[in-house]
Amino acid sequence: MNSIEIKNLSLNFGDVKVLKDLNLSVEKGEFLVLLGASGCGKSTLLNCIAGLLDITDGQIFINNQNVTWYEPSERGIGMVFQSYALYPQMSVEGNLSFSLKNAKLSKEEINTRVKNASEILQIEDLLKRKPAALSGGQRQRVAIGRALVRDVEVFLFDEPLSNLDAKLRTELRVEIKRLHHKLKNTMIYVTHDQIEAMTLANRIAIMRDGLILQLDNPKTIYNFPVNKYVAEFIGSPSMNFIEGRLDGTNFEFDELSFNLEGYSFKEKIKANSQVWLGVRPENIVINEADKTMPVNCDVVVEVVEPMGADTLVWSSLNGKELRFTVEGNKIVNIGDKLNVGFDPAHVSIFDFETEDRL
Amino acid sequence: MFKKAQLERLFVSLVMLAFVSLAISIIGIKPDIFQKLQFLFLTVAIIFVTLIWAQSKTIQFNSNRLRKQIFGWLLSSIFSILIWSFAQKDIQSIFPSLKGYRKALNTLEPIAIYLAIVFILFALILSIVGARDSRLDRPGYIERTLVYNLSSKIAAIPMMLTSVGIFIIATLWTVYHSFTNSRMLPKSEFIGLAQYERLWSSDRWYMSIENLAIYGACSLVFSLFIGFLLAALLDQKTRFENTFRTIFLYPFALSFIVTGLVWQWILNPEYGVEKIVRSLGFESFVFNPLYNTDIVIYGILAAGLWQGTGFIMCLMLAGLRGIDQEIWKAAKIDGIPMWKTYIQVVIPMMRPIFITTLVIIAAGIIKVYDLVVAQTSGGPGISSEVPAKYVYDYMFSAQNLGQGFAASTMMLVSVLIVLIPFAYLQFGRRKYD
């Protein structure tokens, strides 16, 4: 059963087309993350679902009900904002109960709901405080609580963790995941942080210029990106790209040539076509692996960036930049000659012109 | 004995006291006593300088900047001495061209002497104790007071003089003379509270107070209400917002005199609204608020509102623009109706803007004068008098300074009665952002 269904949604601001004929369906209880660079339309899409923006064309269904022209409050959604958007002159309790009071719920009902929400979010001690007297993490908890008390089917998160510092972000991320596990509500989460997307999502929708490029589970998106943009956007450090020619299963560039037997092509390719070869830094192994890996060559280390758990090494392959990670306890020095290799099963090949996966 | 730092502080405060007594003696309050006091302070200050010198003994010139400062002070003192010498008869007989400026030089002479003393003193102090504190290797209190950030201190002097001179001394002077029987010129003949008794038994003053109350209450309520309403309407992503804003703000570009004149014409029965309606055929139509003693103040109020509301709207609009858009979104999701969001969320968030606006409106109310003069000159009879006009008339037309001062003191007192608890409430407690 679909919790949210979007059919042919488009949105124009004057002549600017922000969302273009977008289709999306989200299952009940699913955690969907909309991921993309700024300006890709992900927040706009969320605002359309919430009813905060009037759409130009298309339909939105929530719980199999056409809500396209419903008021935001009638859609059965709760929303959490980046800037928390708490009502500053009300106490935490006032913030939580404001919408319920306005909906004329009974006092007992309001009290039980506020109590439940504050228990789930562990903010019982803060109920009498004003938002100004709370820390960023506490404020965001209250904001989530405000969505929680409304007892809604769908939760919308608009970059909720962007205003927090790195440590709090990690903590609250886990908490949101736990909350989802407990409540089993449908959640749509907008972010530009790929770590948040990878860790939280059941499915990720990668957006660019008002279009969804790829909608799949995180693993598939990471390992089988549909085009070069997605491959570049997901993963840190980002994927290495080598420009070359593909002749059968032979990848050639400059004097070097790799045999890519083992790579599963989506379709049959024309002989001798120009392609991008993409390899993730962590799929490149060094030295002792050279015998086992089908593809290998020699490189010189240029820059070393130790990051604790592993070390990022910058080198070059025939003048093209090549990044790869080695284990943190391995000692690599600038100027070292290394033999690197990778398995063709783990690479991605994209058409040079269309940048689509082959 | 004293510690060095304490001596320094005592010395600086003595010099400052000397300055104050000089200022008081120049104004003319007990000049004989304060002039003597000033010299007393300076003498004691010099004794303290010697004491400091006796304690520190060593003189250190570590910093170039300090030497430059001392040199600067000495140079300034030389200039002062030069000016003083130009005022002397002997010098003037040597340079006859100076005689033309004799009057100006004679006025400058005492100031020049005083400045010369002060500058030499500064140089002396700096050379004795302003050198680095040898133990801590940091500038002493005097060096910090006199030398640090000197340019900003010099830049602040005109504003300080203005605020002290205008706001404090002139106010005190006014209050002081409201207890005298000054007529055309101020004099110090005390008559107790007689001016106030006369003030409070005058019908004209009562009328002024009553008018101010009506004008003030209405103008406060209506300009806040209309201003906020217009701003809220403009904030709804209105088309041609800039045009509307300009139109609403346009009257603010006119002075009260012009506004008053325009509204006098509009409300005039011979060629204003009444004339137009009558020429449409309603022969018995009567609309002449400026000639009706009961409602004349509302005619003035209309002009005041027309002039000021646009500005209030702009302030409110700025406040509304400062509200995070996500608050609106959150309220929409929560299902709060728009009017309720305004009243329960947005207006409380705009508290600082409302306070600013309130102060601006209140100041406008208290000083309303030219609008009345342009529209009615206080008439018919005394039915549109306001306190500011009362003060002006008594001070400059009736040549009764004492009475004018008493009225302005009453205005000051009433403003303070409102302002002090308000300021205490506003600034005296902890603020949430």
Side-chain angles (χ1 to χ4, degrees):
Chain A
M1 187 181 144
N2 285 336
S3 181
I4 296 177
E5 202 166 354
I6 294 164
K7 288 179 184 167
N8 307 97
L9 174 78
S10 9
L11 177 76
N12 304 344
F13 288 145
D15 293 335
V16 187
K17 288 181 175 152
V18 184
L19 297 174
K20 299 160 194 163
D21 201 21
L22 204 130
N23 285 293
L24 179 69
S25 58
V26 186
E27 275 172 47
K28 205 173 170 66
E30 193 178 0
F31 199 118
L32 178 84
V33 173
L34 301 175
L35 180 65
S38 28
C40 71
K42 52 191 195 304
S43 283
T44 315
L45 175 59
L46 199 72
N47 281 332
C48 287
I49 297 172
L52 297 169
L53 285 172
D54 287 340
I55 60 176
T56 313
D57 200 8
Q59 284 174 313
I60 298 170
F61 292 86
I62 296 180
N63 273 337
N64 295 326
Q65 206 173 9
N66 188 344
V67 296
T68 315
W69 299 109
Y70 278 29
E71 283 295 309
S73 53
E74 297 165 351
R75 295 187 178 207
I77 49 155
M79 194 162 173
V80 178
F81 298 92
Q82 181 181 354
S83 67
Y84 324 124
L86 298 176
Y87 309 127
Q89 71 293 338
M90 294 181 198
S91 66
V92 169
E93 199 174 4
N95 266 287
L96 294 180
S97 59
F98 192 39
S99 66
L100 305 179
K101 271 182 200 156
N102 199 63
K104 303 226 160 41
L105 261 67
S106 72
K107 265 213 174 111
E108 300 87 68
E109 176 71 19
I110 293 176
N111 280 341
T112 42
R113 282 198 195 183
V114 169
K115 201 164 160 266
N116 274 341
S118 54
E119 253 167 39
I120 291 172
L121 296 163
Q122 296 162 357
I123 48 171
E124 298 114 307
D125 303 339
L126 312 174
L127 285 178
K128 297 288 169 228
R129 288 210 216 157
K130 289 261 173 77
L134 300 178
S135 71
Q138 290 168 333
R139 283 184 212 184
Q140 199 51 281
R141 254 176 250 235
V142 176
I144 294 172
R146 200 167 55 180
L148 212 59
V149 290
R150 299 189 54 236
D151 205 13
V152 287
E153 188 63 38
V154 179
F155 277 67
L156 307 175
F157 294 90
D158 192 357
E159 307 204 21
L161 307 182
S162 300
N163 278 8
L164 302 174
D165 63 57
K167 193 165 173 291
L168 260 176
R169 208 178 298 170
T170 335
E171 281 170 22
L172 227 66
R173 198 173 70 204
V174 178
E175 236 164 88
I176 289 177
K177 189 149 193 172
R178 233 176 245 149
L179 193 72
H180 179 241
H181 200 70
K182 198 188 282 176
L183 300 173
K184 303 214 171 2
N185 284 32
T186 312
M187 295 189 179
I188 301 185
Y189 188 106
V190 165
T191 183
H192 58 256
D193 184 320
Q194 47 166 307
I195 311 266
E196 271 173 37
M198 296 292 284
T199 50
L200 287 171
N202 294 129
R203 282 197 300 164
I204 297 178
I206 296 202
M207 292 185 67
R208 185 196 191 183
D209 296 336
L211 289 171
I212 294 180
L213 297 180
Q214 188 170 12
L215 173 63
D216 222 321
N217 61 45
K219 253 194 184 147
T220 315
I221 287 197
Y222 190 76
N223 291 322
F224 304 101
V226 290
N227 62 26
K228 187 167 168 260
Y229 178 81
V230 175
E232 215 170 0
F233 191 80
I234 283 277
S236 166
S238 61
M239 199 182 247
N240 296 297
F241 289 103
I242 304 165
E243 185 190 333
R245 301 197 150 271
L246 197 63
D247 193 7
T249 56
N250 244 17
F251 177 78
E252 298 164 358
F253 78 105
D254 297 336
E255 301 93 64
L256 280 170
S257 146
F258 300 142
N259 190 356
L260 297 179
E261 228 161 283
Y263 180 78
S264 42
F265 286 102
K266 266 165 79 180
E267 54 199 292
K268 221 162 159 41
I269 346 169
K270 296 171 280 175
N272 211 13
S273 54
Q274 190 101 2
V275 294
W276 289 103
L277 175 76
V279 194
R280 292 221 175 268
E282 59 272 28
N283 286 337
I284 298 178
V285 286
I286 61 165
N287 286 352
E288 61 268 27
D290 64 342
K291 299 293 176 298
T292 58
M293 286 293 160
V295 178
N296 61 70
C297 57
D298 290 324
V299 293
V300 178
V301 176
E302 286 168 357
V303 179
V304 181
E305 290 185 300
M307 293 189 289
D310 45 28
T311 303
L312 179 63
V313 180
W314 298 66
S315 66
S316 58
L317 190 59
N318 272 9
K320 300 270 164 18
E321 206 168 66
L322 185 74
R323 295 171 296 262
F324 53 91
T325 51
V326 299
E327 276 173 45
N329 51 18
K330 203 162 267 179
I331 294 163
V332 182
N333 293 315
I334 294 173
D336 282 1
K337 236 187 185 155
L338 295 175
N339 184 274
V340 297
F342 55 86
D343 188 345
H346 293 141
V347 302
S348 301
I349 297 173
F350 306 104
D351 189 275
F352 189 79
E353 292 292 322
T354 61
E355 299 194 344
D356 284 336
R357 190 185 181 83
L358 293 174
Chain B
M1 261 304 262
F2 291 109
K3 279 185 191 154
K4 208 169 115 188
Q6 283 172 332
L7 282 177
E8 284 180 13
R9 247 158 259 189
L10 268 172
F11 166 74
V12 171
S13 37
L14 280 168
V15 172
M16 282 170 187
L17 276 176
F19 262 118
V20 173
S21 16
L22 172 76
I24 295 173
S25 64
I26 286 174
I27 295 162
I29 302 167
K30 305 266 182 263
D32 42 340
I33 296 175
F34 277 105
Q35 246 163 30
K36 273 173 203 149
L37 257 182
Q38 161 208 340
F39 288 117
L40 181 74
F41 283 134
L42 281 179
T43 324
V44 181
I46 289 166
I47 293 170
F48 273 111
V49 175
T50 358
L51 265 176
I52 294 166
W53 175 77
Q55 280 205 330
S56 69
K57 290 273 177 13
T58 49
I59 301 167
Q60 295 182 326
F61 288 107
N62 291 338
S63 91
N64 259 332
R65 195 184 48 188
L66 197 69
R67 261 177 265 174
K68 259 189 259 168
Q69 288 291 335
I70 294 169
F71 181 70
W73 289 122
L74 283 175
L75 212 64
S76 322
S77 66
I78 288 169
F79 270 114
S80 311
I81 292 170
L82 262 178
I83 290 173
W84 167 76
S85 65
F86 286 160
Q88 304 310 305
K89 287 235 169 65
D90 308 339
I91 308 284
Q92 281 178 2
S93 57
I94 300 171
F95 303 104
S97 60
L98 285 173
K99 275 185 186 160
Y101 307 104
R102 192 185 284 154
K103 216 170 194 177
L105 286 171
N106 281 345
T107 329
L108 283 176
E109 191 189 354
I111 301 171
I113 296 173
Y114 186 76
L115 285 181
I117 294 171
V118 169
F119 290 154
I120 291 173
L121 214 62
F122 277 2
L124 206 68
I125 302 153
L126 281 181
S127 60
I128 297 171
V129 291
R132 291 200 181 275
D133 188 320
S134 51
R135 247 178 321 124
L136 298 170
D137 191 30
R138 68 180 183 89
Y141 183 73
I142 290 177
E143 187 183 343
R144 273 180 281 143
T145 318
L146 296 183
V147 179
Y148 267 31
N149 214 354
L150 186 72
S151 44
S152 76
K153 278 168 193 160
I154 291 172
I157 285 174
M159 192 57 224
M160 274 161 67
L161 286 181
T162 318
S163 59
V164 170
I166 307 277
F167 294 126
I168 298 176
I169 296 175
T171 306
L172 290 177
W173 191 87
T174 304
V175 175
Y176 173 87
H177 282 94
S178 72
F179 296 105
T180 64
N181 67 345
S182 310
R183 299 290 304 176
M184 201 170 100
L185 293 170
K187 53 185 171 182
S188 301
E189 198 174 304
F190 282 95
I191 53 165
L193 290 170
Q195 295 284 16
Y196 291 91
E197 276 165 29
R198 185 178 158 195
L199 179 72
W200 283 106
S201 56
S202 127
D203 284 343
R204 192 174 159 190
W205 178 249
Y206 270 107
M207 197 68 205
S208 305
I209 297 281
E210 195 189 315
N211 280 339
L212 187 72
I214 295 172
Y215 179 87
C218 293
S219 128
L220 194 70
V221 171
F222 284 116
S223 57
L224 268 182
F225 183 75
I226 299 172
F228 186 79
L229 203 69
L230 287 176
L233 289 176
L234 273 194
D235 198 34
Q236 311 300 318
K237 298 197 173 72
T238 320
R239 239 167 227 255
F240 309 118
E241 187 204 310
N242 286 341
T243 320
F244 281 120
R245 212 168 47 204
T246 313
I247 292 172
F248 290 141
L249 193 58
Y250 197 73
F252 190 66
L254 302 180
S255 69
F256 267 131
I257 291 288
V258 177
T259 310
L261 213 59
V262 169
W263 277 83
Q264 198 207 1
W265 290 335
I266 292 175
L267 300 177
N268 192 308
E270 305 215 352
Y271 36 81
V273 177
E274 187 180 299
K275 171 85 189 307
I276 292 169
V277 176
R278 279 196 181 175
S279 65
L280 287 175
F282 303 95
E283 289 295 339
S284 58
F285 180 78
V286 178
F287 183 71
N288 55 352
L290 295 188
Y291 294 89
N292 183 337
T293 49
D294 294 331
I295 59 167
V296 61
I297 193 68
Y298 297 101
I300 291 165
L301 177 72
L305 284 180
W306 180 79
Q307 205 257 3
T309 311
F311 181 60
I312 305 301
M313 179 208 71
C314 273
L315 288 175
M316 294 288 173
L317 195 60
L320 283 175
R321 289 287 146 84
I323 304 278
D324 187 358
Q325 282 303 311
E326 290 195 339
I327 290 272
W328 282 107
K329 288 184 182 175
K332 259 189 179 173
I333 299 257
D334 275 352
I336 320 290
M338 186 180 257
W339 62 270
K340 217 169 181 177
T341 315
Y342 268 117
I343 292 173
Q344 296 199 340
V345 180
V346 173
I347 292 180
M349 281 176 85
M350 280 170 61
R351 200 181 125 110
I353 288 282
F354 268 95
I355 285 164
T356 312
T357 317
L358 219 65
V359 170
I360 289 173
I361 296 175
I365 292 167
I366 292 289
K367 69 184 184 197
V368 62
Y369 164 75
D370 25 15
L371 202 57
V372 177
V373 171
Q375 274 189 286
T376 62
S377 319
I382 54 162
S383 52
S384 61
E385 289 286 344
V386 285
K389 187 166 177 295
Y390 186 94
V391 172
Y392 184 89
D393 286 350
Y394 271 94
M395 276 166 74
F396 301 109
S397 312
Q399 300 193 335
N400 190 343
L401 278 184
Q403 181 67 159
F405 288 156
S408 56
T409 306
M410 282 324 297
M411 283 173 75
L412 177 72
V413 167
S414 51
V415 167
L416 287 183
I417 286 172
V418 178
L419 211 61
I420 288 174
F422 176 74
Y424 184 76
L425 274 180
Q426 184 54 32
F427 304 110
R429 70 174 184 195
R430 215 186 125 211
K431 271 191 267 179
Y432 292 109
D433 56 323

